[in-house]
Amino acid sequence: MYLTILNYDIKNEVFTFELPSYTANFQSEEFEEYISRTLGFNTSNCDWQIHEELPQLIELHNQEYA
């Protein structure tokens, strides 16, 4: 499995990580803890998605926040 993170911190950056096997049964809250504690991302400044296969193309769109 792979984890793709769109980080909105200083500039928009996309990161993709191959996940270790122990994350296979993680729930959403556990993934957020993994992203925060293990990878060091602020989960309030990023979006993330899990993929079974390595993504070939990631399309970014402008987002507006309320």
Side-chain angles (χ1 to χ4, degrees), residues 36-49:
S36 177
R37 292 186 183 201
T38 305
L39 301 177
F41 289 94
N42 181 349
T43 55
S44 64
N45 288 338
C46 71
D47 289 321
W48 57 274
Q49 185 172 6

Side-chain angles (χ1 to χ4, degrees), residues 9-25:
D9 234 359
I10 296 172
K11 57 183 179 178
N12 290 347
E13 296 178 293
V14 177
F15 301 91
T16 299
F17 301 92
E18 186 171 4
L19 291 169
S21 59
Y22 68 83
T23 63
N25 295 319

Side-chain angles (χ1 to χ4, degrees), residues 2 4 14-16 19 22 28 33 39 45-46 50-51 54 61 64:
Y2 296 90
T4 298
V14 177
F15 301 91
T16 299
L19 291 169
Y22 68 83
S28 180
E33 184 174 336
L39 301 177
N45 288 338
C46 71
I50 303 299
H51 307 270
L54 186 63
H61 299 274
E64 294 184 29

